[in-house]
Amino acid sequence: MSCTRVFVRASRGYSTSVQTSAISKFPEGSTIYSLIQPTGRIHLGNYLGAIRNWRDISSIESRDTKYIFGIADLHALTLPQDPVILKKNRYEAIASILAAGIDPEKCILYHQSSVPEHAELNWILTCITSMGYLNRMTQWKSKAKTGDDSSVYQDEVLANVKAGLLCYPILQTADILLYKSTHVPVGDDQSQHLELCRHTASNFNHAFKTNFFPQPKTLLTPTKKVLSLRNPAKKMSKSDIDQNSCIYVNDSFEITSKKIRKATTDSIQGKITYDPIERPGVSNLLTIISGLTRKPMETTVDELSWITNHKELKDYVSELLEAEFKDTRQLFDELTKNTEYLDKICKNGNDRARSIASTNMKEIKKLTGLD
Ligand code: AMP
């Protein structure tokens, strides 16, 4: 029996996404991998949906497990960037990750662009990915603001959407597979791209008669999606024009409270209830509370039965945010002033990442006949 058939059998019935809370230990030899874009400071969605999850996961004691986290600076180029601001954002993103409590000794912390093997594998995988699959992805449509039903068959899309924006899920696949990652902690918005990653790993293994790439699992937090404070029909995002929709982890107490005060709620009076359809704004605030306190929604709503109006709810959220981010904010301010220290951390992380990437790339080249 060929390696491919053995692999296909072994992957049948494989559960592709897991809640982080369900994990007490990773299988020996696991590689946990995730990146964040340096498109500004880190917001509450990044924190609850990804970075706090990185911190929690990296404190799980597992034998021979690698933790690789970093800055997706090549991905940032899919939208126009001012080089001076991008450079500043790269520092701020590293400072935010460190301030959020990621240990750079235990975890590899690096810049994607410092490891050229990402771009090399990206090309090999681009050559085995169908245009139709990319066309179905929703993230490029949302970033290009072309509408959910848009398609590369439309003249307007062909004229205005850059190839990098359409193809970046392949680069994301290359990022993950370059390290033979087994688990990828991300927010729900990335679930579709992780499906593409697993599909591409199978395609590669099938095409080159190997089982070189594992099928990486998506690790989701209970707070899969934090919504915009001003328009809870959308996810919280730093690219939102209305900056009152987005809480940054280093916003001052005054700014945070002002944004929360302005958050869209509803006209329903009395008891606070969780109802994402009828009360999306209030439910989003409850999601934030439940995420910060790590308590299930049912318990959160029960414990908040003393709250009788929106103002009390908003004050409560602002206080919780202050308690969570007070120290992080201070540490972030200190770290951003110390770029020498940040450079040292990244140099160390870049070298460690490059060493794994170049070993794996050698194997990949052998498999594809490029050695
Ligand atoms: P990005 O800033 O787009 O690179 O996202 C970095 C990480 O944050 C990814 O794992 C995303 O899934 C996660 N993320 C981004 N926005 C949100 C959000 N509003 N709610 C939950 N997770 C999010």
Side-chain angles (χ1 to χ4, degrees):
M1 192 182 284
S2 76
C3 288
T4 317
R5 282 167 79 188
V6 172
F7 179 71
V8 170
R9 273 197 182 174
S11 59
R12 229 168 249 156
Y14 191 96
S15 142
T16 54
S17 82
V18 214
Q19 283 283 343
T20 310
S21 49
I23 293 190
S24 57
K25 203 171 163 205
F26 288 107
E28 202 172 328
S30 296
T31 296
I32 322 300
Y33 185 90
S34 194
L35 301 179
I36 185 168
Q37 289 195 59
T39 37
R41 295 172 295 155
I42 281 170
H43 63 68
L44 190 57
N46 300 139
Y47 180 75
L48 291 177
I51 292 178
R52 193 181 65 174
N53 204 14
W54 299 0
R55 188 181 74 206
D56 292 352
I57 289 168
S58 56
S59 65
I60 296 174
E61 280 310 324
S62 301
R63 271 187 61 191
D64 190 25
T65 294
K66 290 190 197 79
Y67 300 96
I68 309 176
F69 301 125
I71 309 302
D73 46 6
L74 294 176
H75 286 278
L77 301 181
T78 54
L79 293 176
Q81 297 290 336
D82 175 324
V84 176
I85 296 176
L86 178 60
K87 190 164 177 157
K88 180 172 163 276
N89 285 345
R90 287 166 91 236
Y91 276 123
E92 289 197 351
I94 287 282
S96 301
I97 295 171
L98 290 170
I102 306 293
D103 175 357
E105 287 302 316
K106 187 160 187 190
C107 311
I108 294 178
L109 194 52
Y110 82 113
H111 283 121
Q112 177 197 28
S113 65
S114 304
V115 178
E117 284 79 3
H118 284 261
E120 216 173 345
L121 181 57
N122 175 51
W123 179 248
I124 294 175
L125 300 183
T126 300
C127 294
I128 59 165
T129 305
S130 78
M131 291 286 288
Y133 208 128
L134 294 172
N135 194 28
R136 286 197 293 278
M137 302 282 112
T138 57
Q139 287 292 303
W140 70 263
K141 296 170 194 174
S142 133
K143 290 193 178 191
K145 300 190 172 61
T146 50
D148 293 350
D149 298 331
S150 56
S151 144
V152 289
Y153 301 119
Q154 292 162 337
D155 290 344
E156 202 194 319
V157 170
L158 282 174
N160 298 322
V161 177
K162 301 281 185 275
L165 190 57
L166 179 74
C167 297
Y168 89 89
I170 311 178
L171 178 59
Q172 194 174 4
T173 292
D175 302 335
I176 296 165
L177 297 182
L178 183 57
Y179 300 90
K180 300 179 78 173
S181 311
T182 52
H183 298 78
V184 185
V186 281
D188 201 25
D189 56 337
Q190 297 303 319
S191 293
Q192 202 186 28
H193 292 169
L194 263 291
E195 282 301 327
L196 170 68
C197 176
R198 286 185 278 272
H199 179 77
T200 310
S202 295
N203 274 352
F204 180 95
N205 287 344
H206 183 76
F208 297 103
K209 300 189 174 38
T210 177
N211 58 3
F212 186 75
F213 289 132
Q215 288 271 293
K217 290 191 186 211
T218 311
L219 282 184
L220 291 171
T221 52
T223 324
K224 289 186 284 217
K225 199 185 260 185
V226 179
L227 302 173
S228 151
L229 294 177
R230 302 286 286 168
N231 176 5
K234 301 191 297 188
K235 71 169 182 173
M236 182 177 284
S237 164
K238 45 202 158 193
S239 56
D240 203 313
I241 305 163
D242 185 350
Q243 283 292 296
N244 283 320
S245 68
C246 187
I247 301 267
Y248 295 100
V249 301
N250 62 336
D251 273 344
S252 68
F253 178 61
E254 290 69 32
I255 291 180
T256 303
S257 315
K258 194 185 94 200
K259 288 179 179 176
I260 295 287
R261 264 200 314 276
K262 288 183 174 218
T264 303
T265 46
D266 49 50
S267 53
I268 301 171
Q269 303 294 318
K271 211 167 166 293
I272 297 298
T273 49
Y274 180 74
D275 182 344
I277 307 290
E278 297 297 329
R279 311 190 72 182
V282 163
S283 301
N284 190 35
L285 294 178
L286 289 172
T287 300
I288 293 172
I289 298 175
S290 147
L292 289 169
T293 58
R294 300 171 188 272
K295 290 183 180 166
M297 188 52 77
E298 219 180 318
T299 316
T300 302
V301 174
D302 273 357
E303 288 183 358
L304 295 179
S305 58
W306 56 272
I307 289 182
T308 55
N309 59 55
H310 295 145
K311 182 179 178 305
E312 283 173 355
L313 176 67
K314 289 179 170 180
D315 288 347
Y316 184 73
V317 177
S318 299
E319 276 160 32
L320 271 186
L321 287 165
E322 177 62 5
E324 183 80 16
F325 295 132
K326 201 168 150 221
D327 294 344
T328 311
R329 199 162 60 220
Q330 202 181 333
L331 191 52
F332 174 84
D333 288 343
E334 285 166 20
L335 285 166
T336 43
K337 283 182 204 131
N338 195 348
T339 50
E340 210 175 298
Y341 173 74
L342 297 178
D343 283 338
K344 206 172 110 199
I345 295 288
C346 290
K347 163 88 179 71
N348 180 277
N350 294 344
D351 290 347
R352 288 159 75 194
R354 182 99 205 258
S355 154
I356 303 168
S358 59
T359 305
N360 287 341
M361 200 61 216
K362 262 190 207 129
E363 285 300 310
I364 295 164
K365 282 183 151 177
K366 223 185 262 176
L367 286 165
T368 47
L370 295 171
D371 55 329

